[in-house]
Amino acid sequence: MSCTEVWWSEMEHIRMPKVENVRLVDRSSSRRTQVGTLYLTATHTIFVGKGSEDRSELWVLHSLVCDVLKHKASQNGYPLIIHCKNFQVIQFIIPQESDWHNVYISLSRLSRPEKYEELYCFSFNPNVDKAEREHSWDFLDLKAEYSRMGLPNKLWHVTAINREYRVCDTYPADLFVPKSVTLPVIIGSSKFRSRGRFPTLSYYCKENHATICRSSQPLSGFSARCLEDEQMLQAIMKSNPGSRFMYVVDTRPKLNAMANRAAGKGYENEDNYCNIKFQFIGIENIHVMRNSQQKLIEVSALRSPSMGEFLMGLENSDWLRHIKSIMEAGIFISKAVAEEGVSVLVHCSDGWDRTAQVCSVASVLLDPYYRTLKGLMVLIEKDWVSFGHKFSHRCGHLDGEAKEVSPVIDQFLECVWQLMEQFPCYFEYNEKFLISIHNHVYSCHYGNFICNSQKERKDLCIKEKTHSIWPHLWENKLDFMNPLFKPDQSQNQGLLRPRTAPYCFKYWRRLYNRFDRELHPRQSELDCLMTVKEETQQLEEALALYEQKLAVLDKERAKTLYMQKGVLESKQALWSSPLDTSLANTPQDYIGGFIGGAPNVFTLQQGERESAELCLFGDKPKSSDADNSDQESGVADFSSHSSGEESLPSEDSVKDPDSDETGPNRA
Amino acid sequence: MEFAELIKTPRVDGVVLHRPFMPTVEGTLCLTGHHLILSSRQDNTEELWLLHANIDSIEKRFVGSLGTIIVKCKDLRVIQLDIPGMEECLNIASSIEALSTLDSVSLMYPFFYRPLFEVIEDGWQLFVPEEAFKDLESMVLFYPWNETTLFGLPKEDEEDNIALWSAESAFTVDEAVMMRAAQPLTGTNGRRCKEDEKLINATLCAGKRGYIIDTRTIAVAQQAKTRGGGFEQEANYPQWRRIHKAIERSNVLQDSLIKLVEACNDQSHSMDRWLSKLEASNWQSKVKEILTTACLAAQCIDREGASVLVHGTEGTDSTLQVTSLAQIILDPACRTIRGFEVLIEREWLQAGHPFQQRCAQSAYSNGKPRSEAPVFLLFLDCVWQILRQFPCSFQFNENLLIMFFEHAYASQFGTFLGNCVAERVKLQLSQKTVSLWSWVNRPQELERFLNPLYEPNNLVIWPSVAPQSLLLWEGVFLRWNRSTKCLDEACQEMVHIIEYNKELQNKVNSLRRQLAQLETEDSPLQTP
């Protein structure tokens, strides 16, 4: 089926391509609304405001929609709530019941694609030619990454055993194993591991030859053994000549691991394996994590909660406790490798969720390279994409088993963010980079995070049919740079030793309240410093040029310089006002809507109705007319792509209609 | 000198000092009348000088003959001293206890402190109200009048009446005024006071309106009537509308601070415990309440053009939090160092916040609290929250706020001694002690408090008061529980980035001038 056919078939799901007089409700104050037209296309829901001054637009990718809900109808109309996977919540009020129902049915279907071909990445068609697209997939090269680590070397080499994905269909084709292991050992070991995911190398520390290896759980049951598997571990241990033992880290809670024994799976018996030290690290499973994040999202979306409600909700979600346990696992492994020089084998059950988290957190702690833009991309490509993290299942790209969905990669990105909070100078990227990656893991805009394994991607010809996200992020790297990054120091820094006291873990407001603009600092230190740095660079160039001029004293060239002067002058005061004035100058809802004429700024909170005296100036109508909105209170704010802070170039949710990133729906 | 009597053992050798995130120091412990000093007598190690007044409480422990004293300070630091010899340890402990709980104000360190720096600008002379209003001072004990007050008051009022009923002080923005007062003494039978009504009503021109923000809930305000207090009946103040907000009374705050600090020092490493203790301490809720009320007051003035009168019970605690924060929101001048000092001087010191009572004990006090309450600390926390949300709009940084916190609780300067202006005059602080402002305003000191990102911003700044936006003030509450190495690096880098930028700008400008000059010399006929 060609893309066009898919597109047409999707068009069939659209019962209602256009609805007029829809109201978009501002989340920060339900009385602030904007009237406009709602369009449903094959790929996006688009709202175009009827504002007199600027026609603000809201674009929401269907693939980012998590669920669509109908709320109870009121006299104002029929509310439709859209929850997105990037934590945006959108509320429309539709005037007619029939339209309401049709939009609901259409969106419910469009946001739950049944086939890969329906995903946006297959129709997304930026203006680049075939060669360029193919080239985008060569941007990251894992072979180069292994050679950066110092591999292959005299102890480790690539095995060709999985070239056809016959030994393990969820592993990549190229895998590093100790040179000393023979093919029968690998095959034997793979048969003794869940899904055939035999122990293989994830990270190699060139300084002391210690490695992080990963696998799935052994099929040990209560007493089963496998000679080849034991030989495999022995070989890994011996490939680190400096150490006399290795750690085997089972990232599951002990109880879960023991329960697995009854199903013929389980964990390594220290008696059977020579020189291993076995360790449980209790990270909970995907179901616990999914429920935890659901609770966290509910807390983050509370409307004007009390401090108590918020903190209790945060505690009850258990989210930060889980982040802490993942971080602690990463710390354990990074210390074993860097400080003890001991190799570590990490596994959980299948070795594609907790194992991926823990290996990649440990790598960020160990190696400054992963704290650079390119390095983080490589790390995600290696530990997550190539090693078969089940993106399609975990992110719910297709309509399917809800129980398979889990925010496993969210937790990894959050661990990196928590580290950035503790080590503000050691990361080349800023949090916008993490948020952007998060967005695209879910957006299905690019092909990178489609499918559940390398093999599936190959079968689906992802590289031939879609584009890669990484060059796109790289092109926009100026937006993702941390101005405080000090590269020299970071190189010497080596191992990061984060603190793990509970208060070191914070609520990630920028991610979970990403679209609640009024909750973020009104002036951004980051933006301010980035502007200064940018200006500094221009000054450096100008300085060099001026010095050159002065030295030569060339009259003609001095004249051209004179023209450039104006440009510089205009930039002088640029960094001084990163203030988002429209917001900064807008008071929030500090009490109910009691003050006469500003209905749009205030909403009456419960508990504020304690006294009739609250209703000031009874002669004034306590207006509840939601239409009576003024510009200043931020209705126009929906078009937030005009503000520097929000307009990540890689964003699709708030999209400039003139952007080149348009799909066939624009046709 | 009576200090000598209190010091049973002035000196002990071989004492080991443990501080979190710092190497242990072994040395000699000395007790003086006002300080606990530990010195290793080596050139390169830092000496510990601790004001007795900074000590909140101590604990003793013994293992064999080795005694340990845990010293808990009002600035929330906890240090441990290992003292060989049981007797020495007991003596030191009892001496510290006696010296840190001296009752007499005149024995406090500020009366003995002689500055090692030259006082260029005497802080005591800096913010003195105009000479012309001196007479008023004797009459209105807690409310010295300054020019803004009178500016905001209508002329036809007789000043005597003001003091009798409730006292007001005002801050003006354009035509709207912000005033503060204590509660009116209406009592249960609804007593009225013509003068008070006249004064308050006369503040508003015809057609103007005003809001009375009572920082107490309606229930609490009703209760106050039984003790002779109460609130304004709207019928008697026709242009005014009353709003009740729930800011906790000061006595509840102390408990909240104790719980918060206890949570921060919890060693259990359990996430659930931390979050539930943080929640139970209620501190962050109080930050939210106060900021919300301050924003409301500011909003009435800025958005409604209405005047505001703020009061609670006495008008010396929650009232001041609200009025001073509202001014920071509204008035860019209050966001400069000098302006912030003026604000503290006018809205806290001269307004009669009882610093000495409120800051007598901090989070580690064991005894039953009398009138201690971290009202001022809570205000500073709120300022910090706004600073975090508007990192480019303040001339000062977090360090200035932390410094004020420290000096409010224990200081070599006399500024925060006493409970009101009258007491301070009686203590002759301006003659006998050095002002904090004399020290802070020296260029060498100021540097530490400057915010490199500052760019004057003349707008009203509206902070977010959502729980997601309010943070724990780590700089105070986790100050001693964390290593600041990485954060310091970040600060330095920030300063470096901005200084380098300015340096380049200067260079480019001067080169450009040079070039332009050469150009005009070379081609005098060319039009610029």
Side-chain angles (χ1 to χ4, degrees):
Chain A
M1 190 155 53
S2 80
C3 282
T4 342
E5 283 168 55
V6 173
W7 182 57
W8 278 112
S9 78
E10 277 180 43
M11 292 299 280
E12 283 164 25
H13 303 310
I14 302 171
R15 295 179 166 211
M16 199 69 212
K18 179 177 171 188
V19 187
E20 304 268 15
N21 290 319
V22 171
R23 285 195 201 145
L24 175 61
V25 181
D26 186 344
R27 293 233 320 132
S28 64
S29 169
S30 55
R31 296 198 184 185
R32 263 188 254 169
T33 62
Q34 192 185 13
V35 181
T37 309
L38 185 70
Y39 298 91
L40 291 185
T41 74
T43 54
H44 287 82
T45 303
I46 305 163
F47 175 84
V48 181
K50 245 198 300 206
S52 47
E53 280 162 31
D54 62 326
R55 278 159 41 101
S56 57
E57 296 190 12
L58 175 74
W59 289 58
V60 184
L61 258 179
H62 295 323
S63 42
L64 269 172
V65 172
C66 174
D67 60 31
V68 187
L69 296 172
K70 281 166 147 185
H71 271 202
K72 220 179 120 225
S74 72
Q75 65 209 41
N76 291 330
Y78 299 86
L80 196 69
I81 316 279
I82 302 172
H83 287 108
C84 298
K85 293 171 182 174
N86 58 6
F87 312 120
Q88 186 170 23
V89 182
I90 299 155
Q91 185 178 355
F92 291 121
I93 297 176
I94 296 169
Q96 299 297 323
E97 188 174 4
S98 57
D99 293 343
W100 181 47
H101 188 67
N102 283 334
V103 171
Y104 170 76
I105 296 286
S106 311
L107 258 181
S108 299
R109 174 60 188 85
L110 289 166
S111 63
R112 285 193 202 95
E114 284 159 0
K115 293 183 291 286
Y116 279 122
E117 287 82 0
E118 292 176 38
L119 294 174
Y120 183 45
C121 57
F122 291 96
S123 52
F124 171 59
N125 186 18
N127 296 324
V128 294
D129 60 27
K130 188 164 168 277
E132 224 175 306
R133 199 206 55 237
E134 275 163 13
H135 187 65
S136 81
W137 285 103
D138 300 332
F139 180 74
L140 292 187
D141 176 8
L142 287 186
K143 206 175 259 174
E145 166 57 9
Y146 286 108
S147 88
R148 185 195 67 86
M149 289 185 209
L151 297 180
N153 64 10
K154 63 182 196 308
L155 293 166
W156 292 87
H157 70 158
V158 181
T159 171
I161 199 166
N162 204 39
R163 281 280 151 81
E164 307 295 325
Y165 307 104
R166 286 208 190 105
V167 178
C168 173
D169 61 359
T170 59
Y171 263 175
D174 291 332
L175 290 157
F176 276 87
V177 290
K179 249 185 192 168
S180 56
V181 295
T182 57
L183 293 187
V185 167
I186 298 177
I187 290 168
S189 170
S190 81
K191 285 184 175 150
F192 189 64
R193 296 268 166 185
S194 282
R195 312 273 179 158
R197 292 171 71 96
F198 58 90
T200 177
L201 180 133
S202 164
Y203 179 75
Y204 173 76
C205 177
K206 105 161 134 211
E207 284 76 28
N208 60 14
H209 313 294
T211 56
I212 301 174
C213 293
R214 58 187 287 175
S215 71
S216 59
Q217 65 188 337
L219 305 175
S220 51
F222 290 101
S223 57
R225 291 182 61 168
C226 170
L227 206 61
E228 290 92 343
D229 194 59
E230 288 163 25
Q231 287 170 348
M232 185 77 174
L233 264 66
Q234 183 72 0
I236 291 172
M237 199 270 288
K238 288 208 162 139
S239 300
N240 178 5
S243 80
R244 294 190 355 267
F245 71 97
M246 72 182 282
Y247 287 108
V248 175
V249 171
D250 188 327
T251 55
R252 299 168 292 184
K254 189 171 182 185
L255 215 62
N256 300 18
M258 285 172 71
N260 262 302
R261 290 206 299 192
K265 300 163 184 175
Y267 52 92
E268 290 81 356
N269 183 341
E270 276 186 339
D271 298 339
N272 299 339
Y273 292 83
C274 300
N275 305 315
I276 68 160
K277 283 194 184 169
F278 187 83
Q279 181 88 33
F280 282 113
I281 294 180
I283 301 175
E284 300 289 352
N285 64 28
I286 57 166
H287 311 294
V288 175
M289 300 307 191
R290 177 181 57 245
N291 294 334
S292 172
Q293 194 192 40
Q294 194 48 48
K295 286 186 193 162
L296 182 77
I297 292 170
E298 281 163 23
V299 173
S300 70
L302 286 175
R303 285 228 188 123
S304 42
S306 73
M307 187 56 85
E309 282 169 335
F310 177 72
L311 289 174
M312 290 271 268
L314 193 58
E315 180 195 342
N316 290 336
S317 77
D318 263 343
W319 182 256
L320 291 177
R321 184 167 68 82
H322 298 314
I323 297 293
K324 180 163 138 66
S325 68
I326 296 163
M327 187 77 89
E328 281 167 341
I331 294 171
F332 175 85
I333 293 162
S334 64
K335 282 190 172 167
V337 169
E339 289 177 353
E340 295 182 67
V342 173
S343 294
V344 186
L345 171 66
V346 185
H347 69 72
C348 44
S349 297
D350 292 317
W352 51 46
D353 293 315
R354 285 168 276 201
T355 302
Q357 287 176 329
V358 167
C359 289
S360 49
V361 169
S363 301
V364 171
L365 293 170
L366 278 166
D367 195 332
Y369 178 65
Y370 299 124
R371 296 172 222 146
T372 63
L373 273 157
K374 187 95 178 260
L376 186 69
M377 297 179 189
V378 167
L379 185 64
I380 291 173
E381 189 68 27
K382 174 171 73 73
D383 277 354
W384 294 81
V385 178
S386 87
F387 273 107
H389 174 68
K390 302 202 291 175
F391 280 102
S392 279
H393 285 164
R394 297 293 177 258
C395 305
H397 288 336
L398 298 182
D399 189 27
E401 193 61 62
K403 283 219 162 72
E404 282 285 326
V405 175
S406 188
V408 182
I409 187 139
D410 297 27
Q411 290 181 316
F412 164 65
L413 293 171
E414 178 157 343
C415 283
V416 177
W417 178 80
Q418 300 281 359
L419 288 171
M420 284 161 54
E421 285 288 291
Q422 285 198 42
F423 302 98
C425 299
Y426 297 168
F427 288 80
E428 187 188 30
Y429 40 85
N430 59 35
E431 77 179 327
K432 288 181 189 173
F433 187 54
L434 301 180
I435 292 172
S436 209
I437 292 175
H438 180 273
N439 194 71
H440 283 294
V441 162
Y442 289 92
S443 73
C444 302
H445 195 149
Y446 296 88
N448 304 64
F449 309 112
I450 308 300
C451 301
N452 293 311
S453 67
Q454 201 176 67
K455 179 174 185 294
E456 278 186 32
R457 276 187 292 275
K458 215 162 246 175
D459 293 347
L460 209 61
C461 304
I462 287 285
K463 287 194 182 182
E464 285 74 40
K465 293 179 178 167
T466 74
H467 299 261
S468 167
I469 175 73
W470 304 125
H472 171 70
L473 292 179
W474 186 252
E475 278 159 28
N476 293 297
K477 67 179 177 213
L478 273 183
D479 293 302
F480 301 134
M481 288 292 200
N482 169 15
L484 298 175
F485 177 56
K486 296 204 279 190
D488 335 336
Q489 190 168 13
S490 176
Q491 290 306 324
N492 306 330
Q493 195 54 35
L495 180 66
L496 291 186
R497 293 179 181 79
R499 303 199 58 218
T500 57
Y503 47 71
C504 299
F505 294 88
K506 295 171 196 161
Y507 170 71
W508 192 0
R509 180 184 55 213
R510 285 266 183 215
L511 181 66
Y512 290 104
N513 293 108
R514 186 176 155 198
F515 294 91
D516 302 318
R517 221 152 67 90
E518 72 288 346
L519 294 184
H520 302 293
R522 307 312 158 82
Q523 292 176 319
S524 154
E525 240 167 60
L526 176 72
D527 290 345
C528 179
L529 287 171
M530 278 165 81
T531 323
V532 175
K533 274 209 139 170
E534 209 175 296
E535 195 211 53
T536 301
Q537 208 185 337
Q538 290 167 349
L539 284 170
E540 275 172 344
E541 286 161 16
L543 191 68
L545 205 58
Y546 281 180
E547 275 167 351
Q548 200 188 338
K549 297 297 154 221
L550 271 176
V552 180
L553 270 179
D554 183 318
K555 213 161 111 188
E556 261 317 293
R557 293 174 73 190
K559 219 181 278 175
T560 54
L561 249 179
Y562 191 74
M563 315 238 307
Q564 288 179 0
K565 187 174 70 176
V567 181
L568 272 162
E569 253 166 349
S570 65
K571 294 234 163 105
Q572 300 259 314
L574 195 137
W575 66 276
S576 59
S577 53
L579 178 72
D580 186 348
T581 43
S582 66
L583 238 185
N585 206 16
T586 306
Q588 282 199 314
D589 189 1
Y590 299 118
I591 193 175
F594 71 96
I595 296 183
N600 33 27
V601 184
F602 309 101
T603 45
L604 199 59
Q605 291 170 3
Q606 284 206 329
E608 297 284 2
R609 305 169 199 246
E610 51 176 289
S611 150
E613 283 158 326
L614 264 177
C615 178
L616 303 188
F617 300 107
D619 51 331
K620 274 225 168 188
K622 202 166 87 182
S623 170
S624 61
D625 183 5
D627 278 344
N628 185 9
S629 50
D630 69 2
Q631 283 302 310
E632 196 170 22
S633 328
V635 175
D637 294 351
F638 289 121
S639 58
S640 60
H641 50 264
S642 56
S643 90
E645 191 188 338
E646 295 290 318
S647 67
L648 298 186
S650 52
E651 244 36 313
D652 356 12
S653 45
V654 177
K655 196 159 140 179
D656 190 331
D658 299 327
S659 156
D660 57 0
E661 294 183 1
T662 45
N665 56 302
R666 298 290 296 163
Chain B
M1 182 65 230
E2 44 199 308
F3 290 127
E5 293 160 24
L6 297 174
I7 303 171
K8 293 180 181 157
T9 302
R11 221 189 104 157
V12 188
D13 289 323
V15 174
V16 180
L17 165 71
H18 302 271
R19 288 175 292 189
F21 301 102
M22 291 213 231
T24 55
V25 180
E26 189 180 338
T28 304
L29 178 74
C30 295
L31 290 187
T32 72
H34 292 103
H35 283 97
L36 179 157
I37 304 158
L38 189 116
S39 165
S40 67
R41 306 215 168 165
Q42 277 157 16
D43 295 337
N44 50 359
T45 49
E46 201 195 340
E47 287 182 346
L48 171 78
W49 283 68
L50 191 65
L51 265 180
H52 292 314
N54 190 2
I55 295 173
D56 211 18
S57 69
I58 60 167
E59 281 166 27
K60 308 180 279 269
R61 279 207 301 257
F62 290 97
V63 181
S65 68
L66 180 75
T68 294
I69 299 178
I70 314 275
V71 180
K72 299 182 172 181
C73 303
K74 290 178 188 162
D75 62 14
L76 308 183
R77 158 172 42 164
V78 178
I79 60 170
Q80 180 185 331
L81 296 165
D82 294 340
I83 300 172
M86 192 184 274
E87 199 192 329
E88 282 85 351
C89 183
L90 285 171
N91 283 346
I92 294 283
S94 67
S95 307
I96 295 176
E97 264 170 354
L99 289 164
S100 61
T101 52
L102 292 177
D103 271 338
S104 167
V105 184
S106 55
L107 290 179
M108 296 288 191
Y109 186 52
F111 290 97
F112 299 83
Y113 170 73
R114 291 294 160 262
L116 291 173
F117 58 88
E118 192 194 344
V119 176
I120 304 163
E121 186 185 35
D122 183 6
W124 291 116
Q125 305 307 321
L126 218 53
F127 309 115
V128 169
E130 295 288 325
E131 287 290 307
F133 309 124
K134 232 176 184 174
D135 294 344
L136 272 171
E137 231 165 81
S138 56
M139 199 164 53
V140 188
L141 204 66
F142 288 89
Y143 288 86
W145 301 83
N146 57 26
E147 65 268 67
T148 47
T149 316
L150 290 186
F151 189 68
L153 285 175
K155 283 195 186 84
E156 65 267 32
D157 268 300
E158 287 180 41
E159 279 120 9
D160 300 55
N161 294 337
I162 307 162
L164 288 173
W165 185 252
S166 61
E168 275 95 354
S169 185
F171 159 79
T172 60
V173 172
D174 295 328
E175 271 146 53
V177 286
M178 182 161 67
M179 299 183 290
R180 55 182 149 72
Q183 63 182 350
L185 306 173
T186 53
T188 40
N189 51 5
R191 220 155 59 85
R192 288 180 63 176
C193 170
K194 282 269 147 48
E195 292 83 351
D196 190 67
E197 288 166 19
K198 194 176 161 200
L199 165 65
I200 291 182
N201 290 331
T203 323
L204 303 179
C205 320
K208 278 280 187 181
R209 51 178 150 154
Y211 295 96
I212 296 171
I213 298 180
D214 193 326
T215 62
R216 306 162 296 180
T217 59
I218 180 83
V220 175
Q222 288 280 10
Q223 269 175 16
K225 284 186 174 177
T226 61
R227 290 186 299 274
F231 50 85
E232 296 81 358
Q233 286 301 325
E234 295 194 337
N236 304 335
Y237 301 85
Q239 281 171 285
W240 295 85
R241 290 296 175 269
R242 213 174 64 245
I243 309 164
H244 289 272
K245 294 295 280 182
I247 297 186
E248 292 281 7
R249 302 299 93 199
S250 58
N251 52 0
V252 186
L253 296 184
Q254 185 70 7
D255 184 47
S256 178
L257 174 67
I258 291 171
K259 282 187 181 155
L260 174 68
V261 172
E262 214 256 308
C264 293
N265 290 338
D266 188 299
Q267 299 295 320
S268 73
H269 265 241
S270 146
M271 185 59 80
D272 297 356
R273 227 170 116 148
W274 157 246
L275 288 172
S276 71
K277 280 181 148 186
L278 178 65
E279 196 270 318
S281 81
N282 251 325
W283 181 268
Q284 294 296 92
S285 311
K286 297 190 166 45
V287 170
K288 179 171 157 58
E289 282 163 12
I290 291 166
L291 271 176
T292 308
T293 311
C295 289
L296 176 69
Q299 199 171 358
C300 291
I301 291 175
D302 183 66
R303 295 277 141 160
E304 299 282 299
S307 292
V308 173
L309 168 64
V310 184
H311 73 71
T313 308
E314 302 286 339
T316 54
D317 292 300
S318 57
T319 304
L320 307 185
Q321 291 171 330
V322 172
T323 55
S324 49
L325 286 168
Q327 290 173 55
I328 287 172
I329 292 166
L330 292 169
D331 185 357
C334 294
R335 301 172 217 145
T336 64
I337 293 185
R338 201 45 88 97
F340 192 63
E341 289 172 0
V342 171
L343 186 75
I344 288 179
E345 183 74 31
R346 186 184 63 224
E347 290 298 309
W348 291 85
L349 290 162
Q350 295 180 17
H353 176 65
F355 274 101
Q356 199 170 315
Q357 286 175 7
R358 296 287 181 254
C359 302
Q361 297 260 256
S362 170
Y364 299 121
S365 60
N366 302 319
K368 205 165 165 269
R370 293 183 301 260
S371 40
E372 294 83 3
V375 177
F376 186 61
L377 173 59
L378 199 48
F379 157 72
L380 293 174
D381 193 333
C382 293
V383 178
W384 179 78
Q385 305 285 351
I386 306 177
L387 173 62
R388 287 304 307 153
Q389 296 190 25
F390 294 90
C392 307
S393 299
F394 287 80
Q395 191 191 17
F396 51 88
N397 59 25
E398 176 182 21
N399 294 335
L400 186 82
L401 302 174
I402 297 173
M403 185 275 292
F404 281 131
F405 160 58
E406 288 175 339
H407 283 274
Y409 279 84
S411 176
Q412 64 270 46
F413 304 108
T415 300
F416 292 111
L417 290 182
N419 290 309
C420 60
V421 175
E423 274 189 39
R424 273 177 222 120
V425 171
K426 209 185 271 172
L427 286 166
Q428 295 180 288
L429 292 181
S430 59
Q431 291 99 64
K432 294 187 173 170
T433 72
V434 180
S435 161
L436 176 64
W437 315 129
S438 305
W439 172 72
V440 176
N441 289 332
R442 299 163 68 239
Q444 307 86 305
E445 297 300 331
L446 277 180
E447 203 170 310
R448 203 154 58 87
F449 304 125
L450 288 173
N451 173 12
L453 299 175
Y454 177 59
E455 276 293 320
N457 162 19
N458 285 322
L459 296 172
V460 174
I461 52 175
W462 300 106
S464 162
V465 296
Q468 291 98 320
S469 313
L470 301 177
L471 307 169
L472 176 72
W473 191 7
E474 298 185 16
V476 164
F477 300 111
L478 299 174
R479 182 178 176 190
W480 311 101
N481 297 345
R482 59 175 188 172
S483 152
T484 56
K485 188 178 151 271
C486 293
L487 299 175
D488 292 345
E489 260 173 36
C491 282
Q492 281 166 15
E493 186 61 25
M494 209 182 288
V495 172
H496 168 78
I497 289 170
I498 285 164
E499 279 180 355
Y500 179 57
N501 178 280
K502 286 188 179 150
E503 188 188 306
L504 276 183
Q505 230 163 63
N506 290 339
K507 269 192 199 161
V508 168
N509 285 342
S510 82
L511 278 186
R512 199 168 59 203
R513 270 194 301 276
Q514 250 176 310
L515 269 174
Q517 210 170 0
L518 286 173
E519 217 168 51
T520 39
E521 280 166 16
D522 287 352
S523 54
L525 293 176
Q526 204 171 28
T527 44

